[in-house]
Amino acid sequence: MRTSRLQLLAAAGVAVASLALTACQDGTGTRDEGASATQPVASTPSDASSPAPEESASGSGGNGSTANGSTGSGGDTAGSGESGSGSGSGSGSKGSSAGKGSAPGGSDDAPATFNPCNGSNTSVSAAPVSRPVNHMLITVKNTGSKNCDLTYYPVLRFDEMQWVPQPVEESKPQAVVTLAPGESAYAGVLLSAADGSGSGGATGKKLTVGFQGRTPNSDGGPAAIPSLPAAGVYYDSSLTVTYWQSSADDALTY
């Protein structure tokens, strides 16, 4: 009896094993689950890689907009999106226009030409006049071959005088006096006060006429030493001089 039970159990075990083997061969057992589990793993990289070019394309477009226009074409090769290439080319045109706009302006203005009148290109004379009293007229004639400019007023010095006569500010002209070859300009000199109110009177035997440059009190070139009357010229602390004038009448008005 006991032997029969053991035989039955053995037969049942063989039957179960046969059924399990058959199930494995049908493709419906645990091996199928293992195969299906590995299939998504293989497909996952392909799914994850598909959106990656789109992000890199948009990233390339962003770089193209910040750089110059030549990098805009890089967006076309990095991604297939048309919007990426469009933004790249658009930013390129903006970059070129910004470059033109940065050109400095105002650099085409050239400085005006300046040729000072001085002792090397003029002849200078100084002569006392009867009217108005105690006045002297300085005349400068352009002896050169091109125009020259007389700026401000003559700087006068009698002998070894240690002070510079001041200009008559009311005589300042509207523009610099320019002399063509052969033309003359004038400056009037008040030598002394008519009422005798001046001090430190002296007789000058030598007069030096200095010229100014483009800026006040700058050197305008060689000075001139015009001849004076043999008896000399009397002057005192009232000594003043006008700015250069185009006419002798204007120079002797002050």
Side-chain angles (χ1 to χ4, degrees), residues 8-176:
L8 288 174
L9 290 174
V14 171
V16 171
S18 299
L19 290 174
L21 180 61
T22 303
C24 292
Q25 292 176 353
D26 289 341
T28 58
T30 57
R31 288 188 180 179
D32 287 341
E33 292 177 359
S36 63
T38 58
Q39 184 175 358
V41 173
S43 62
T44 300
S46 61
D47 293 340
S49 61
S50 58
E54 295 179 357
E55 293 178 357
S56 62
S58 62
S60 301
N63 293 337
S65 63
T66 56
N68 54 26
S70 63
T71 60
S73 61
D76 295 339
T77 58
S80 60
E82 293 179 358
S83 61
S85 62
S87 63
S89 61
S91 64
S93 61
K94 289 182 181 179
S96 60
S97 62
K100 292 180 181 179
S102 63
S107 59
D108 292 338
D109 296 333
T113 58
F114 176 73
N115 180 38
C117 299
N118 52 47
S120 66
N121 55 12
T122 64
S123 62
V124 181
S125 63
V129 296
S130 57
R131 296 289 179 184
V133 295
N134 302 337
H135 275 69
M136 181 174 68
L137 182 66
I138 298 177
T139 303
V140 175
K141 182 178 180 180
N142 183 358
T143 58
S145 58
K146 57 184 179 180
N147 293 356
C148 68
D149 303 309
L150 282 168
T151 55
Y152 309 106
Y153 51 89
V155 179
L156 305 182
R157 184 185 184 190
F158 282 107
D159 300 320
E160 301 301 323
M161 189 170 62
Q162 299 300 313
W163 55 280
V164 178
Q166 294 302 301
V168 180
E169 291 297 336
E170 293 83 358
S171 67
K172 187 176 183 178
Q174 295 296 322
V176 172

Side-chain angles (χ1 to χ4, degrees), residues 172-185:
K172 187 176 183 178
Q174 295 296 322
V176 172
V177 177
T178 300
L179 299 181
E183 290 184 341
S184 298

Side-chain angles (χ1 to χ4, degrees), residues 222-237:
I225 303 177
S227 299
L228 293 177
V233 174
Y234 178 82
Y235 67 93
D236 62 20
S237 60

